[in-house]
Amino acid sequence: MSGTIIKSARNTSNAPQDLGPYTQSVTLSHYNNIAAQLPVDPKTGALVAGDIQAQARQCLTNIQAIVQSIGHGMEDMVKVTLFLADIADLDAVNAVYREF
């Protein structure tokens, strides 16, 4: 295998700080992995109040802040995995997802 593989960790203050032993984004060559974004307001550190759409919007806003901090946009996303406590919320979350 030729070429240089660059590995770096990165955090931005525009998304909640790590809640565990990980970073917001890890770059490996040209691939970025973003992990564990909860509906947390980065300014207050508190979970957002409201329904599933408010929570989904905060999660995606946090992801967007991280993606933008590494010089990319949401259109550069290859894969997104969402975990829902109630599958009945899927349509409401998808409506918010389309906004991004």
Side-chain angles (χ1 to χ4, degrees), residues 39-41 44 46-55 58:
V40 173
D41 181 326
T44 65
L47 289 172
V48 296
D51 61 8
I52 189 66
Q53 287 189 311
Q55 293 177 359
Q58 186 64 59

Side-chain angles (χ1 to χ4, degrees), residues 15-75:
Q17 295 307 300
D18 305 331
L19 299 174
Y22 56 86
T23 59
Q24 292 169 340
S25 175
V26 174
T27 301
L28 180 59
S29 187
H30 62 280
Y31 171 80
N32 290 283
N33 183 64
I34 298 170
Q37 291 307 301
L38 300 171
V40 173
D41 181 326
K43 293 178 182 143
T44 65
L47 289 172
V48 296
D51 61 8
I52 189 66
Q53 287 189 311
Q55 293 177 359
R57 189 169 288 107
Q58 186 64 59
C59 288
L60 290 164
T61 298
N62 294 342
I63 291 168
Q64 184 175 43
I66 295 166
V67 168
Q68 289 174 342
S69 79
I70 55 177
H72 293 282
M74 294 297 271
E75 67 278 2

